Amino acid sequence: MKFVLPNTCSAPSCVYGKKKKEKLKSGSLVKQSVSDHIYPDLVTLGGLLNATFGNATELIISIFALKGGMIRVVQQSLLGSILSNMLLVLGCAFFSGGIVFNKKEQVFNKATAVVNSGLLLMAVMGLLFPAVLHYTHTEVQYGKSELALSRFSSCIMLVAYAAYLFFQLKNRNMYDPVHEGGSQHAGSLDDEEVAEISQWEAIIWLAILTAWISVLSEYLVDALQGASVSWRIPVSFISVILLPIVGNAAEHASAIIFAMKDKLDISLGVAIGSCTQISMFGIPFCVVIGWIMGQPMDLNFQLFETATLFITVLVVAFMLQDGSSNYFKGLMLILCYLIVAASFYVHVDPASVGELLTTTISGRILKTNLPKARS
């Protein structure tokens, strides 16, 4: 049985909009709690913490959506989070940093970019093979081989991400921030910022806000389909574009702030590190969770979505290969994201429509039977 919080507007679009605003505020507080404990000599760990707690929103939404059998919403929201971080968040960081420091070229450590680009390509490979297997109709057992391959690949990707974390944290010297002129550790102690809250206060706030986001996520998922019908917007556009923009708002702000302070390595860790974490941990984790729940969550993200991710990874990899950034690169990434957004606005996903109709019909049947059960 579900209950509706008292409010002045009960339409699905109004509920959806209110939940987005509340999640935006909660995500910003989570990000503030983590950012207050980033030290200049722990750029790698700082970017990792920002990415981890920034992705908590997407993972919580995915678990609630999986619980309701909305597999396509899970796939598209995770995909949209990757696209948003790679194109919009990183593009805005490059653009804002390039505007503030327009008289010099901002630089970052290429080792971080190369490793993350390799992991993103590995994630694309994991998503590509199930899709190719599905569309070429070459499965040994139709409907089973694709799911088995997805679960096996997910376990491999989780092992690879664990190895990446171990390698990254044990080899922090390789990822020291690089400043103009090739010098490392060029920052001074004067650049250190005083934390606004203590470490235990940050931990308490993270626990409280994570629990609050969990509550909001259930209402957000319930209002998603009603908002799609009310606004006359495809579910795929809401899942891939609108949901990730709200969920990544805190990461967006953090990446821009760090880029404007000439701490581009942290911005890169927040944006690209978040993409790596979602692709190598978030997606495989949801496949495993779906396996436990009995939901057929797989790595077949359909041909359109997989091709979009593959092209996006290639574009970003080329942008990062020289280890420098400027406002023009940022502008190019932002414009690429607008193209992606327009593509999903005119794209109708048959699987999402099927889930929408199934859930709507189930809801109508439930509402019809409720009075009979009471009487």
Side-chain angles (χ1 to χ4, degrees):
M1 180 179 293
K2 300 179 181 177
F3 61 91
V4 180
L5 293 176
N7 52 63
T8 56
C9 181
S10 59
S13 58
C14 296
V15 174
Y16 180 77
K18 290 180 180 179
K19 298 308 170 186
K20 288 205 301 181
K21 291 179 181 178
E22 293 179 11
K23 287 177 68 63
L24 176 60
K25 294 178 182 178
S26 301
S28 300
L29 290 173
V30 170
K31 191 62 63 176
Q32 179 65 35
S33 299
V34 178
S35 299
D36 283 341
H37 295 278
I38 294 178
Y39 301 94
D41 58 337
L42 294 178
V43 174
T44 301
L45 185 58
L48 177 61
L49 289 174
N50 267 273
T52 300
F53 290 103
N55 292 331
T57 304
E58 284 81 5
L59 291 179
I60 293 172
I61 291 176
S62 299
I63 292 174
F64 277 104
L66 269 178
K67 185 179 178 181
M70 303 168 65
I71 297 177
R72 286 299 292 162
V73 172
V74 175
Q75 292 177 333
Q76 291 175 343
S77 63
L78 292 175
L79 173 69
S81 185
I82 298 175
L83 298 177
S84 174
N85 277 288
M86 277 198 295
L87 296 177
L88 184 61
V89 176
L90 186 63
C92 289
F94 281 1
F95 182 79
S96 58
I99 294 296
V100 174
F101 300 95
N102 56 359
K103 295 183 180 180
K104 72 170 187 177
E105 190 175 46
Q106 289 184 297
V107 294
F108 53 85
N109 198 314
K110 289 192 293 185
T112 308
V114 170
V115 172
N116 282 281
S117 298
L119 287 172
L120 288 172
L121 287 173
M122 180 181 178
V124 170
M125 183 176 66
L127 300 180
L128 184 63
F129 287 149
V132 172
L133 190 67
H134 175 79
Y135 284 98
T136 55
H137 305 288
T138 55
E139 300 177 75
V140 175
Q141 293 182 343
Y142 182 78
K144 295 182 179 181
S145 299
E146 177 186 334
L147 185 59
L149 175 62
S150 299
R151 291 171 175 173
F152 175 79
S153 300
S154 297
C155 295
I156 297 298
M157 292 165 69
L158 289 174
V159 172
Y161 184 72
Y164 161 70
L165 290 181
F166 179 81
F167 174 79
Q168 188 181 36
L169 296 176
K170 290 294 182 180
N171 297 272
R172 293 180 187 172
N173 293 333
M174 292 181 58
Y175 302 98
D176 287 335
V178 176
H179 296 267
E180 194 172 9
S183 62
Q184 295 184 342
H185 300 294
S188 61
L189 294 177
D190 296 334
D191 295 332
E192 293 191 18
E193 299 179 1
V194 179
E196 297 180 5
I197 58 178
S198 65
Q199 181 178 0
W200 283 108
E201 287 176 336
I203 294 174
I204 293 173
W205 272 112
L206 287 173
I208 294 175
L209 293 173
T210 301
W212 179 237
I213 288 175
S214 301
V215 175
L216 294 179
S217 298
E218 185 174 5
Y219 291 101
L220 183 66
V221 171
D222 292 338
L224 178 63
Q225 297 169 344
S228 174
V229 176
S230 177
W231 292 347
R232 297 182 180 179
I233 297 177
V235 177
S236 60
F237 181 80
I238 296 178
S239 302
V240 178
I241 304 300
L242 296 185
L243 271 180
I245 288 179
V246 175
N248 295 334
E251 291 177 339
H252 201 155
S254 296
I256 292 176
I257 291 173
F258 285 125
M260 294 176 67
K261 294 180 179 179
D262 202 17
K263 298 178 181 179
L264 205 59
D265 287 279
I266 299 182
S267 297
L268 202 67
V270 172
I272 301 301
S274 179
C275 298
T276 303
Q277 188 175 80
I278 294 175
S279 59
M280 294 297 293
F281 173 76
I283 294 176
F285 176 76
C286 289
V287 172
V288 174
I289 292 297
W291 190 1
I292 297 174
M293 290 182 177
Q295 298 287 351
M297 170 75 181
D298 56 17
L299 295 179
N300 180 15
F301 278 46
Q302 305 300 323
L303 189 61
F304 183 83
E305 288 85 348
T306 305
T308 303
L309 178 62
F310 179 58
I311 296 173
T312 300
V313 171
L314 289 181
V315 170
V316 173
F318 278 111
M319 292 287 185
L320 300 177
Q321 65 179 349
D322 62 346
S324 63
S325 72
N326 50 59
Y327 69 90
F328 180 67
K329 285 186 176 181
L331 181 62
M332 290 178 62
L333 292 176
I334 295 174
L335 295 179
C336 288
Y337 186 75
L338 294 179
I339 294 176
V340 171
S343 301
F344 277 97
Y345 187 79
V346 298
H347 171 65
V348 177
D349 183 26
S352 295
V353 175
E355 286 183 356
L356 176 62
L357 292 176
T358 302
T359 308
T360 303
I361 293 173
S362 300
R364 289 178 179 176
I365 294 176
L366 178 62
K367 291 181 180 178
T368 304
N369 293 334
L370 277 177
K372 297 180 179 179
R374 291 178 179 176
S375 59

